[in-house]
Amino acid sequence: MKELEVSNDTSAFEVPAVLDEKGKLTDHCVRQALTMMDTHGLVILTNLLSAEEAHICLELMRQTIDDPDRDRCAFASETDNRYLRRDFCSLPSTPPVTRFAATLCQRLEGVYLEYSGRSRPLLEVATFTSYFGSSHQYIHRDPIGVISLFAAVEDVSDQQGGTVFVPGTHMYGGAENQHGGKAYALMELFRIKCNYRILWHNLKKLWRMRKDEVASLAPGELLDRVFSTKWDQHQPNLLRFVLGKNSHFSLRMLGLRTLWKLYRHRDDLNNLFSLVQTAPRKGTVILYRSDLLHAGPDNRLPHPRRFFGMSIARDIIEQKFWHDGYTPHATLTARPMCFGDLLDSPPLRAPSRARDRRLSSLVD
């Protein structure tokens, strides 16, 4: 997006995945990943999944997306879901899905155990698909106390909307003391600065879509996105913007004092924080702390962008706040699972088998 300065170079956050004889990340990989997570709030593990494993996951996701009765996520992008610009939906806790989630957890056990105990709940397993014409989410934080995972089941280009992160903006004890004790205040100013540009990007895009034959607006879609009273935190809704009804970005955030601070600290904001957009290759897995500033961009290509997602608590989470950011499938709600349950699933295959043989047992 031209309105924002976004880097597509993620090399500083990548760790090539190497598995040991038990099919888990080697100790060296675990140490590298933890250093990335603690320093930047995220780590990008390349080649954690084989091409075959990624394909199996893609098929599991397609089975859910093809189901007209699928559980749509209720925490973000509801309007995009309604107009089929995105398909954010929970995956059912079927044996194939659970085995795939368990495979990821066991492979990443050394990283997860640094943050999450065995009793911590599995909050959500989902598929996040964005289509041509989706809106760009505002920069935001998810509910605190969670480790979230995205797995690329296909190659993702920067034009397809790989997740944007603001490295180093995660929250931890003493983090606010950085940058002269103004860390959190400066992070919030940076978020406002970005979200102002995202608002205008989305509005201009919607205006162009009125005459776009490929991503043409559906009847009523423009009004729903710009003037609707319906709750949706990630639309360029001018009505809710003016009324102050959007917690991510609204007019009340742009008072004279805030505008002066944005001008006064403009150099600090440019020097301290930057936007990095991921464009992961097939088989790449991204782990990030939920309180890291991030956003799901719009897809600017006709080909869908698909991610497998999973979130595991790393702290006690009040259920109300859990459901503010995560939508467990009805089967997971009926039969809750914890991190330990996934670790105790059938053991992983040896790495040679995991990468060289078809993992048909995952989809049996």
Side-chain angles (χ1 to χ4, degrees), residues 134-305:
S134 56
S135 60
H136 194 304
Q137 289 185 341
Y138 285 126
I139 303 293
H140 64 284
R141 302 182 194 272
D142 292 336
I144 63 173
V146 177
I147 297 295
S148 292
L149 175 151
F150 287 144
V153 296
E154 297 176 308
D155 291 343
V156 177
S157 73
D158 57 335
Q159 294 295 306
Q160 286 179 285
T163 308
V164 167
F165 294 100
V166 188
T169 57
H170 51 303
M171 305 171 79
Y172 55 89
E176 70 276 13
N177 296 325
Q178 295 186 6
H179 313 315
K182 300 178 180 178
Y184 287 169
L186 291 173
M187 289 177 195
E188 184 61 18
L189 286 175
F190 183 78
R191 190 172 78 95
I192 291 172
K193 169 188 169 183
C194 293
N195 286 343
Y196 170 80
R197 295 178 178 179
I198 290 172
L199 169 66
W200 289 110
H201 167 81
N202 280 332
L203 287 173
K204 287 188 288 185
K205 178 176 179 176
L206 282 171
W207 190 253
R208 292 193 301 268
M209 285 171 63
R210 293 180 308 118
K211 299 180 180 180
D212 192 315
E213 295 182 0
V214 178
S216 59
L217 293 170
E221 185 175 1
L222 182 64
L223 288 176
D224 264 356
R225 291 183 181 277
V226 182
F227 297 111
S228 175
T229 59
K230 297 176 182 177
W231 184 92
D232 191 327
Q233 300 285 69
H234 293 288
Q235 296 302 319
N237 191 318
L238 293 179
L239 179 62
R240 296 180 69 84
F241 170 78
V242 171
L243 295 176
K245 297 293 187 179
N246 191 319
S247 62
H248 291 324
F249 187 61
S250 65
L251 185 60
R252 66 182 180 181
M253 300 178 182
L254 296 176
L256 291 177
R257 180 177 295 182
T258 299
L259 293 174
W260 166 245
K261 289 179 180 179
L262 284 167
Y263 175 78
R264 180 184 176 187
H265 295 290
R266 63 191 184 282
D267 291 335
D268 291 333
L269 299 180
N270 290 332
N271 294 330
L272 293 175
F273 308 113
S274 61
L275 293 167
V276 176
Q277 182 175 7
T278 58
R281 307 293 293 177
K282 185 176 182 178
T284 296
V285 170
I286 303 167
L287 282 176
Y288 67 96
R289 295 170 59 122
S290 60
D291 49 22
L292 181 71
L293 287 175
H294 66 282
D298 50 337
N299 187 350
R300 299 183 288 280
L301 293 180
H303 186 70
R305 184 272 287 154

Side-chain angles (χ1 to χ4, degrees), residues 288-337:
Y288 67 96
R289 295 170 59 122
S290 60
D291 49 22
L292 181 71
L293 287 175
H294 66 282
D298 50 337
N299 187 350
R300 299 183 288 280
L301 293 180
H303 186 70
R305 184 272 287 154
R306 300 181 179 93
F307 280 129
F308 170 90
M310 179 171 64
S311 294
I312 295 175
R314 59 183 173 91
D315 203 347
I316 299 172
I317 300 178
E318 170 62 37
Q319 192 172 34
K320 175 183 181 298
F321 293 100
W322 170 357
H323 290 288
D324 279 348
Y326 308 96
T327 306
H329 192 272
T331 54
L332 181 58
T333 302
R335 187 185 176 191
M337 300 184 68

Side-chain angles (χ1 to χ4, degrees), residues 53-67:
E53 290 167 333
H55 177 72
I56 288 170
C57 182
L58 177 59
E59 290 304 311
L60 293 174
M61 292 164 55
R62 282 176 171 159
Q63 290 173 19
T64 295
I65 293 173
D66 290 342
D67 182 359

